Amino acid sequence: MASFQVASFQVETFYDYTQNLLIFASCNTSLTIMILDGLNEQQLQAVTETEGYIRVIAGAGSGKTRSLASRFAYIVNELGINAANILCVTFTNKAALEMRNRVKKMIGNDYDLSYITTYHGFCVRALREDIHKVQYPRNFIILDTEDQKAILRDVFEELKLDSKNFTFKQVLNYIANQKYLLDYIPTLLAGEERASTNDLEKIFSKYLEKQLRNYALDFDDLINFTLYIYLNYPEVLEKWQQRMHYIQVDEMQDSSEEQYRLVKLLSNQHENLFVVGDPDQTIYEWRGARPEILVHFDADFKGVQTIIMNQNYRSTPKILDLSNNIIKNNTLRVQKDMFTLNPEGVDVVHFHAQSEFEEGLWIANEIKRLRKEENAALSDFAILYRANYISRNIEQSLIQASIPYTIFGGIRFFERKEIKDVLSYLRLMESGDNLSFLRVINSPTRGLGKKYLEQLKETAALQRVSYLEALEFNIERPEFARPGAVEFVQLIQAFRRKKNELRVSDLVKELLDASGLTDVLRRDGDAERLENIVELVNSIIVLENTDKEPLTLQRYLQEIALYTDMDMEKVENNKVKLMTIHIAKGLEFPHVFLCGFSDGVLPNATSVKERGLRAIEEERRLTYVAVTRAEKSFYMTESEGFNARTGLNKMPSRFIFEISEKLYVRKGVMKPEVLKEAREQLNIKINGSGFHERFQVGDLVQHPIWETGKIIAVNENRGEYQIEFPKINKIKPIVFTFKGLSLV
C-alpha cells in the first residue's frame, strides 16, 4: 500500500501482483482513468508530478515512452494547460511521431502537438520565427552531410587540396569542433574572412563563406544559431521562455552540452524541466552525448526529485540478471537494479565456435530449432552485431540454410554501394553486361554526362552491340573520345587480360587502386565503407584457401549471384532481422543473438585505444543495450580465428569474463588452453584499461620517481591525470594505466 500527493488531492495505491496491475482510488472524479490506467507506482508518480525539476531514471523496458506520453496528456487534460505551451523533446523524428500518436489517442486531435519534436526540429521552428534578427532569411537552407561534402569539393578545388591532405570526414569533424564555440557566428554573419594559419582554418573560412552565400545552415548551426540569438537578443529568449511553461526531454542521456544548455535556458522562467533517460544506455558519446548530464542533473538544480523506474516488462529474470551483472561494472551511472515479475524463462547461452562458419551455422540451426519447437515466427529473431562487416558471414549462413532475412536499418552486405561497385566491375570484365556498365561508367565520376550516355546507347542500338562494345568500337570518334571514356576502356581491357592470370582476391585489390574506388573512399574518410571492402577481399581469400579447385572469376560470380539477386521478395515482415546494436536501441524481440562478441570488436579496439576507460564504459553500455532487447531468450556467440584488425588471435569479449558463470550456459568446445590464453590476454588488457582505484582532483598521490604530487585535472577522453609535482615544479600527464601511483 502506498500513499502520495497527486496534484492537489490524495491518491491511495496498492498492487494486485497476481494481475501485475496498479489499483488506485481517488475522491477526485476528474482523474482520467484512460491516462493513468495500468501505470505502476513509479510511472504514476512520474506522470502526476508536474512542477519543478524532475529526473526519471527509466531502465530498459520500464514503460518510459508510455509515461512520457501520459504525462503530456495529463498536463493538458487535468491541468488545462495549452498543448502549445509544452515542449516535449525526443531524440529522433520517429520517436516524436510515435509520441504524438500516443498523446492523440489519449486527448484527441484538437490540440497543437507540434512542440513534440526533436532538438533540431524545435530549433528550425524557432529560427524560422526569429532568424531575421541576424539578417538571415526565414527560408534558409538546411545542409545535410552530402551537401556539406559538395561544398567541400568546391573548397578543395579552389584551395588546390585533395584527399592526400585531408579526408572530408576529418574536415567535417574539424568544422564541428570549431562550431562547438559560438564565436564563429559573428564572423560568418559579417562575411569576414577568418584568420587562417593552416589549411584546415582556410577550409573552414571558405566553408563559412559559401554557407553565407547560400544562406545555409548545417545541423550544428541549427542549435548554435538558436543559442546565439537567445544569448544576444534577450527579448527573443524571454518570449520563448514565457511560451514554454513545461519542458519534457526524452533520452536525456543522449543529449549534448549544447542541447542541455538550450533546455536549461528555456526552463529558467517557469522552472518546470522534466528529464527522463537511462545513463546505462548512453551509446552516442562519439557524437556528443554526455551521460554526466543525467547522472549529475540533481547537482545543477535545487530540489530535484529523482524517480527510479526499474520494473522491466520486457525480459525474463534470467536475461535481466545477466544485464544487471554486466552494467554494474560501470562507474558513471545512477545505481539501479532492474527487476521483473515475468516468468523465469530459459537460460542465457554463450556459444563458442571454432570458426566464423561454425558460429553462423549454429545460429541458423538454433533459429530452425526454435521455429520448430516453439512455433516462433521468423520476425521473432534479431541478430545484433557491433559493426556492419560482421553480418557478411551470418548472411551467408542464413542463405545456405534457406532462412529469409533483412538488414534492418541498412542494406545487405553484398548490396552496399561500395560492394556492388566492385562486383559490377568484375561482372563487366566477365560478361560485359549493360547493367554493370551503367553502374560503374561514372563510378568514380569520369565526367560522362547524361547526353553522352544517351548518344552511346543510340549507337549501341544501331550497331546491335552492348554499351561497352559500342564504346570500344567507337572510342576514336570525336563525340566519344573523352579522356574519362578512353581511360575506362583501357582499364576494362587491361583487367580482362589479367582476370585469368591473377587470383580473384588479387584481381580485386588491383582493381580497387586502378579504378580509383579506394581513393574516393579514402577522400570521404568513410572508415566503415573501407572496412566493408576489406571484408569483401577477406571473404574471397577464405573461399580461395578452403576450396579444393581453383576459384575462377566466373565461378565466384556464380556463387554470389544469390547474394546480389535483385528479384528477392520485397515483403520483409516475416524475416529474421539483422542490425547493429546502435540501430536496435529502442526495439525488442523475443529471441536475440549477439554475434561476433569478440574482444577488439566489442569492445571496439579503436575506440578503446583512442578513448580509454570512457570507451570501455560505453562499449559495456552497448552490450547492456543488446542484452535488454531480448524478451524470451538471449545468445552470445563468438568464434576462434585470427582478427586482422587487432593483429591477434580472436578471443571472447572481456565482458563475458566479467559475467558470473552462474548466469549463463556455455556451449561449444572451448579448449582449456584457449580459455587460459583468453584469460591471460584479457586480464592484461583489463588491468591496462583503467580497472583500478581511480583518483580524483585534489588527491595527493605518490610517484616512484617524482614522489608526492597533486591531481589537478582528470582527462577522461585522453585517459590521463594532470599531476603537479613540487619536487620538479612541473605538471605531468600520467596515464590511468600507470601502476606506480598510490594514494597518499
Side-chain angles (χ1 to χ4, degrees), residues 53 87 89 115 119 122-123 126 226-227 230 236-247 249 259-273:
Y53 293 97
L87 173 62
V89 178
Y115 285 113
Y119 282 113
F122 171 79
C123 289
T226 304
L227 285 171
Y230 285 170
V236 176
L237 175 60
E238 186 177 357
K239 175 186 72 174
W240 285 98
Q241 286 176 331
Q242 180 60 36
R243 189 178 299 180
M244 300 292 98
H245 282 252
Y246 292 88
I247 299 173
V249 183
Q259 292 165 342
Y260 184 40
R261 189 179 184 189
L262 179 67
V263 293
K264 282 175 72 176
L265 278 173
L266 288 171
S267 67
N268 276 349
Q269 185 171 133
H270 297 295
E271 298 185 331
N272 291 321
L273 178 58

Side-chain angles (χ1 to χ4, degrees), residues 474-581:
N474 300 280
I475 193 64
E476 293 182 0
R477 287 170 52 179
E479 63 267 37
F480 294 121
R482 301 269 187 90
V486 173
E487 290 174 6
F488 180 75
V489 168
Q490 291 173 346
L491 175 76
I492 299 302
Q493 289 177 342
F495 275 87
R496 270 183 169 169
R497 291 190 293 269
K498 290 182 177 182
K499 71 183 178 71
N500 294 323
E501 302 168 0
L502 298 174
R503 287 171 29 128
V504 178
S505 58
D506 293 329
L507 187 74
V508 171
K509 290 174 188 175
E510 289 194 18
L511 172 67
L512 287 166
D513 291 332
S515 65
L517 288 172
T518 301
D519 186 61
V520 169
L521 295 180
R522 283 178 180 156
R523 179 168 180 161
D524 278 348
D526 197 327
E528 181 170 314
R529 291 174 69 191
L530 283 168
E531 278 192 346
N532 288 337
I533 291 292
V534 171
E535 185 64 16
L536 175 67
V537 175
N538 289 342
S539 71
I540 297 171
I541 292 172
V542 168
L543 286 175
E544 290 171 335
N545 292 337
T546 56
D547 231 344
K548 290 182 179 179
E549 59 179 301
L551 183 71
T552 64
L553 179 59
Q554 182 183 47
R555 195 160 66 83
Y556 174 69
L557 291 171
Q558 288 174 349
E559 287 194 9
I560 64 166
L562 273 175
Y563 308 159
T564 57
D565 186 1
M566 299 302 293
D567 295 323
M568 296 183 73
E569 61 184 282
K570 295 185 178 180
V571 178
E572 298 181 344
N573 292 332
N574 192 28
K575 293 185 178 181
V576 174
K577 305 293 192 299
L578 275 65
M579 69 192 81
T580 64
I581 303 171

